[in-house]
Amino acid sequence: MKAIVKPRPMPGLEFAEVSIPEPGQGEVLVKVRAAALCGTDIHIEEWSLWAQNANLKMPLIIGHECSGEVVALGTGVLGIEIGDHVASETHIPCGHCLQCQIGEQHICANLKIFGVHTDGCFAEYAVIPAICARKIPKNIPFQVGAVLEPLGTAFRTAAECNVYGKPVVVLGCGPIGLFAVGAAAMMGASKVIGIDISDFRLSGAKAMGATHVLDSSSDDVVKAVLDLTDGYGADSIIEASGHVGAIKTAFRYLRKGGRFGMIGLPTKPIELELGSDIVFKEAKVFGIHGRKMFETWRGMEEALASGKLNIAPVLTHEIPLESYAEGIKLAKSGQANKVILVP
Ligand code: ZN
């Protein structure tokens, strides 16, 4: 089968012919119908510092966001049948650590990531642990199924930010931020204020339901958010930029008692005034590492299948798997949101 492979620990990827894998115990074989490029894949391609420290097993078939059709079952798989449509949950839990025992599998102590620590889905077929092969309704198109993983991160953050009836800021309008805009709007936020420095991304935010957009390279975002919130600040901030300066500034327009959900990954430490930024403000600051398994999945599937959440504006490009290099170029250009690869 065709596959995109990271052959060795240096920059670059290769398009290769490899044999179709066989599902082992507790695994399913999926015919990949759509896969999505993510920042992680670009880190692996560039061989960034993150990738160098990610404990990759090479040669590695990369890619972790996908959906497809189950074509074979390993032994001991229950609840999934051949022909089912599935999407990949990328957090592979061990099943026996403390977090796994208390319903927090997504932050398992021995967490492995599909497509990073195991062969992934930029291929015609992929073996997925059955626990990570999430059965999805057949009326959800494969292109949408391929982005449920990043969508779930945004969807859960909006849910845990309790956005209903309140003004919310989404900081950073890349694909995850755009998904967060859509989720917050659907969940009934009174105002969704998207902040970015790219016109392309800000127009995406409007298409996803932002009521206001701010360009932080030219607008005074602190003043603008305070003006939009009667001087109190936003009830919630969904952080999807990973930008140190933007994050520090955001504490100035977070309402007292507000919630700050963190998704973005800054490349260096951030200095905060714990007193004014968090303690006196009673700010609730929390990290989100992916989706709750499987509460988040159920929520977004219901939202998508009912038509209440439409993510079409985020799916800007669809290209053949062979053209992955062009896809990476597109993703880096800032003129694409989600790039879908079709094997
Ligand atoms: Zn575990």
Side-chain angles (χ1 to χ4, degrees):
M1 65 172 185
K2 301 180 281 190
I4 298 168
V5 174
K6 181 75 177 174
R8 60 192 81 84
M10 56 192 298
L13 296 169
E14 272 176 23
F15 191 72
E17 284 278 340
V18 300
S19 43
I20 296 174
E22 278 182 31
Q25 188 179 359
E27 295 175 334
V28 302
L29 181 67
V30 174
K31 180 167 174 50
V32 179
R33 299 288 297 273
L37 261 176
C38 164
T40 301
D41 306 310
I42 295 172
H43 276 284
I44 294 175
E45 187 260 341
E46 292 177 336
W47 202 234
S48 71
L49 206 56
W50 175 87
Q52 292 173 40
N53 290 311
N55 203 18
L56 261 61
K57 195 178 133 271
M58 285 166 280
L60 172 81
I61 298 174
I62 71 158
H64 56 277
E65 300 175 0
C66 74
S67 70
E69 206 175 334
V70 175
V71 290
L73 303 174
T75 54
V77 173
L78 297 172
I80 298 181
E81 285 167 20
I82 288 172
D84 282 346
H85 292 188
V86 295
S88 55
E89 163 56 63
T90 54
H91 288 188
I92 306 174
C94 76
H96 56 74
C97 72
L98 171 64
Q99 282 88 258
C100 284
Q101 286 172 348
I102 63 172
E104 298 174 352
Q105 300 172 90
H106 64 289
I107 44 172
C108 165
N110 307 301
L111 192 66
K112 284 189 179 164
I113 307 288
F114 174 63
V116 174
H117 305 123
T118 68
D119 275 332
C121 61
F122 287 176
E124 288 175 88
Y125 295 89
V127 163
I128 302 180
I131 185 154
C132 296
R134 171 70 183 182
K135 208 155 104 176
I136 57 169
K138 288 193 173 170
N139 67 346
I140 293 181
F142 287 116
Q143 295 90 328
V144 173
V147 300
L148 292 182
E149 196 256 22
L151 173 63
T153 300
F155 191 90
R156 178 177 160 218
T157 312
E160 299 205 2
C161 277
N162 284 347
V163 299
Y164 176 72
K166 298 169 193 148
V168 52
V169 164
V170 175
L171 188 50
C173 295
I176 298 239
L178 293 179
F179 287 143
V181 167
M186 188 211 79
M187 291 176 195
S190 59
K191 291 180 181 132
V192 182
I193 305 162
I195 301 182
D196 205 288
I197 53 170
S198 148
D199 285 341
F200 177 80
R201 290 178 161 188
L202 290 174
S203 67
K206 278 188 202 151
M208 285 302 289
T211 53
H212 304 79
V213 294
L214 299 172
D215 181 339
S216 53
S217 66
S218 54
D219 295 327
D220 179 345
V221 292
V222 176
K223 181 178 185 303
V225 174
L226 291 175
D227 285 350
L228 286 166
T229 54
D230 300 326
Y232 288 104
D235 284 67
S236 296
I237 298 172
I238 299 176
E239 203 307 288
S241 76
H243 187 277
V244 171
I247 293 170
K248 283 178 73 154
T249 302
F251 280 91
R252 295 169 53 202
Y253 57 73
L254 177 67
R255 179 175 79 74
K256 282 189 169 183
R259 289 172 181 252
F260 204 141
M262 301 271 185
I263 308 171
L265 297 174
T267 52
K268 48 189 180 195
I270 296 185
E271 209 171 82
L272 296 174
E273 286 297 338
L274 286 190
S276 52
D277 287 342
I278 297 180
V279 178
F280 303 133
K281 211 166 225 195
E282 293 202 355
K284 281 122 191 119
V285 180
F286 53 94
I288 294 283
H289 189 204
R291 307 131 302 280
K292 279 205 165 170
M293 295 162 68
F294 287 88
E295 184 188 327
T296 310
W297 284 85
R298 195 219 171 190
M300 64 180 161
E301 286 154 14
E302 290 282 329
L304 288 165
S306 66
K308 291 192 171 160
L309 179 60
N310 173 21
I311 59 165
V314 189
L315 307 180
T316 48
H317 294 77
E318 188 172 322
I319 58 176
L321 182 67
E322 294 89 320
S323 308
Y324 70 94
E326 184 200 326
I328 290 174
K329 216 178 280 176
L330 273 167
K332 286 183 183 173
S333 73
Q335 297 298 310
N337 292 323
K338 247 352 202 175
V339 177
I340 301 291
L341 303 174
V342 180

